[in-house]
Amino acid sequence: MTVLMRNQSARSEDLDIRSMNFGKFRSSLTFRIVLYICALQIFSFVAMFALSLVIGTNFIEGKDRQLLDAKLTEYESVLKAEGLKAIEARIEDQKSTKVDHEFYVRVLKLDGSLDLKQLPYDLDDFDESKVLTELSVFRGPKKSFELHSPTSWDDRFLGFSKQIDSNTILQVGKSVEDWEDFTNHLYKGFLKALLPFTLIGLLGGYLIAKRSLRPVRSMIRTMQLVGNGTTSERMNINKTDYEFASMVDVFNQMLERIELLITTMRDSLDSVSHDIRTPLTRIRTRAELALRGPTSEEDYRSALEECIENAAELSIFATTVMDISEAEAGTMKLDLVDIDSHQLLSEVVDLYDIVAQDAQILLEIEQDSEGVTFRGDRARIKQAVANLVDNAIKYSMRDSDVYLKAERVGGSVRISVRDEGMGIGPADIHRIWEKLFRADKSRSLPGLGLGLSTVASIAVAHGGSVKVESRVGEGSTFFFEVPS
């Protein structure tokens, strides 16, 4: 009993699963595409059937009308040339031929009296008086008529009636059985082919839908892998599928952007976690020393000032790292305005004039910097130039000069800062734009190693570039170039 209940429960669960899967399939795009294709195929099949019926019926009717017209002309010629006896003789001679015996032939007077008649071989049950009454109304030039058998509506006849002389009417008719046979065979063929044609439509629709939606399924699988952390996964598709190929290209570009954002964020977090410890340690150590024992108000004030100074350093560090990350990810927001390069350089010189004087360094703007204008984010570009000037002052010798210059090069504006400092060694020159990188000679000087990284990120955000030329012991020239 227990085994039986378990089997019934298992069957019930299996039916539930099948019902759920069918419900999902019924609401899917694949199911709708299959239905659309199948419906279109059935509609096309019905339209082809209707067209074939119309064309075939018209063709047979045209042939019958041509045949009736020929018979009417033949019998009219015989009647006029040889008389009624000749027609009777010809009809008797042709009765042995089934084709000629299919015709309904009558010769009658205008008063309705019958001179001659021939009934088709399959029209023995015709009510002669009914036929005579109905056909006697045809007078004058050639006219066509259609007649139904009195005993069967399916027995129809098409005929021509023509008045030969002032008192004689000739009528020739033919059964339209050929039409009925053709129509019946066509209907039967249609009904026999409808089910296989529908099944072929369903199968073909399913295969087409499965093939057409393959890129969508591939995209879903890729999304699932990306959702599980595999950000390097990409979609591949046949380039001949133009619409899907364009969609896949956009999707892959989106994945590349996501991967870049994640990688940039991860690197930024690594950088922050690596360099944030020193200021935090100083803040904690200074606070603990202030709280450890009896301390004067002046000591407390000094401790708080040091903590505030280190906190400000942390804030600047975090802001700079985030700015660089935004620029690398292509999400840095820029407020583009027209910039006068000479005015911008003058503002930077005024900003660092006191610092340069303390280091006994002269800041100079070269004369050909005047009249050079371009579009950019004024605050960001000023920050970049300021970083270059700060870097030049920091690594220059006393009693040396730092030169600032702006010039137009092709379709770009190039700002250069040249110093007469210690220079950069060949081993370090390719790494100076990296975040947190500091050459061995510069480790003794204050700094976070983010100044040149910030300059490079601002240039990239503007669609520009940076470059450096340097000789050890002679100085360096830093170039900041952006489109004009």
Side-chain angles (χ1 to χ4, degrees), residues 2 105 124 187 332 390:
T2 304
V105 182
D124 297 334
Y187 271 119
M332 177 182 282
D390 180 76

Side-chain angles (χ1 to χ4, degrees), residues 121-230:
Y121 66 91
D122 57 349
L123 202 59
D124 297 334
D125 59 344
F126 245 50
D127 185 349
E128 183 64 24
S129 62
K130 179 71 173 175
V131 174
L132 182 62
T133 302
E134 292 190 2
L135 294 183
S136 63
V137 299
F138 293 100
R139 300 178 183 182
K142 183 177 72 174
K143 299 178 182 179
S144 64
F145 64 87
E146 186 175 328
L147 178 69
H148 291 271
S149 168
T151 58
S152 175
W153 182 261
D154 292 334
D155 292 335
R156 294 188 297 123
F157 291 85
L158 175 69
F160 287 134
S161 176
K162 186 175 182 180
Q163 187 171 345
I164 303 301
D165 54 33
S166 59
N167 194 36
T168 305
I169 296 176
L170 174 62
Q171 295 175 332
V172 180
K174 184 182 184 300
S175 171
V176 295
E177 183 181 1
D178 293 343
W179 306 5
E180 302 294 340
D181 290 343
F182 172 77
T183 303
N184 291 334
H185 281 93
L186 198 62
Y187 271 119
K188 290 178 181 178
F190 169 75
L191 294 176
K192 288 180 180 179
L194 182 60
L195 180 59
F197 205 76
T198 302
L199 295 177
I200 292 173
L202 290 172
L203 179 61
Y206 176 75
L207 294 176
I208 291 173
K210 187 176 180 181
R211 172 65 182 84
S212 300
L213 296 178
R214 187 183 301 169
V216 178
R217 291 193 295 272
S218 176
M219 182 180 293
I220 292 173
R221 287 194 296 269
T222 304
M223 286 180 176
Q224 290 172 343
L225 290 173
V226 172
N228 293 331
T230 311

Side-chain angles (χ1 to χ4, degrees), residues 300-317:
Y300 281 129
R301 182 179 295 276
S302 176
L304 288 174
E305 289 175 352
E306 289 186 26
C307 289
I308 291 173
E309 183 179 346
N310 284 285
E313 183 180 340
L314 279 175
S315 177
I316 294 172
F317 178 81

Side-chain angles (χ1 to χ4, degrees), residues 21 42 52 82 128 219 247 276 377 394 397 407 475 480:
N21 290 336
I42 292 175
S52 301
E82 302 178 32
E128 183 64 24
M219 182 180 293
M247 181 183 69
I276 206 171
D377 188 313
K394 189 184 299 182
M397 306 297 182
E407 58 185 333
F480 177 90

Side-chain angles (χ1 to χ4, degrees), residues 416-428:
S416 60
V417 177
R418 178 168 57 89
D419 63 57
E420 299 172 348
M422 63 181 68
I424 305 170
D428 299 328

Side-chain angles (χ1 to χ4, degrees), residues 259-434:
E259 184 180 17
L260 177 61
L261 288 171
I262 292 175
T263 303
T264 303
M265 182 179 66
R266 187 178 296 144
D267 292 343
S268 299
L269 290 176
D270 290 343
S271 301
V272 169
S273 63
H274 179 270
D275 283 79
I276 206 171
R277 295 172 184 169
T278 301
L280 283 177
T281 301
R282 289 202 298 264
I283 292 173
R284 180 175 180 176
T285 301
R286 192 65 182 89
E288 287 178 349
L289 289 175
L291 295 174
R292 185 171 296 174
T295 308
S296 64
E297 182 179 347
E298 187 63 28
D299 290 335
Y300 281 129
R301 182 179 295 276
S302 176
L304 288 174
E305 289 175 352
E306 289 186 26
C307 289
I308 291 173
E309 183 179 346
N310 284 285
E313 183 180 340
L314 279 175
S315 177
I316 294 172
F317 178 81
T319 301
T320 304
V321 170
M322 292 308 298
D323 286 345
I324 295 173
S325 300
E326 286 181 359
E328 291 176 345
T331 59
M332 177 182 282
K333 296 180 180 179
L334 301 176
D335 183 15
L336 300 180
V337 296
D338 292 330
I339 301 173
D340 185 326
S341 60
H342 187 270
Q343 183 181 358
L344 180 73
L345 297 182
S346 298
E347 292 175 2
V348 174
V349 169
D350 292 341
L351 182 64
Y352 281 90
D353 188 48
I354 296 177
V355 178
Q357 289 181 15
D358 291 342
Q360 297 181 6
I361 295 173
L362 179 63
L363 299 179
E364 293 187 28
I365 301 175
E366 299 188 19
Q367 292 297 324
D368 52 0
S369 299
E370 297 182 4
V372 179
T373 59
F374 62 99
R375 286 186 64 80
D377 188 313
R378 183 180 180 82
R380 296 287 187 183
I381 293 180
K382 183 177 179 180
Q383 178 187 4
V385 177
N387 283 357
L388 292 177
V389 172
D390 180 76
N391 195 71
I393 294 173
K394 189 184 299 182
Y395 298 104
S396 292
M397 306 297 182
R398 286 182 173 272
D399 299 322
S400 63
D401 296 336
V402 173
Y403 300 94
L404 287 74
K405 181 180 179 181
E407 58 185 333
R408 193 175 298 278
V409 180
S412 301
V413 170
R414 178 188 293 170
I415 297 175
S416 60
V417 177
R418 178 168 57 89
D419 63 57
E420 299 172 348
M422 63 181 68
I424 305 170
D428 299 328
I429 197 167
H430 298 294
R431 299 192 59 196
I432 60 172
W433 307 106
E434 296 178 8

Side-chain angles (χ1 to χ4, degrees), residues 219 222-223 235 246-255:
M219 182 180 293
T222 304
M223 286 180 176
M235 279 187 64
S246 300
M247 181 183 69
V248 167
D249 289 340
V250 173
F251 181 71
N252 285 337
Q253 291 173 9
M254 180 186 69
L255 290 180

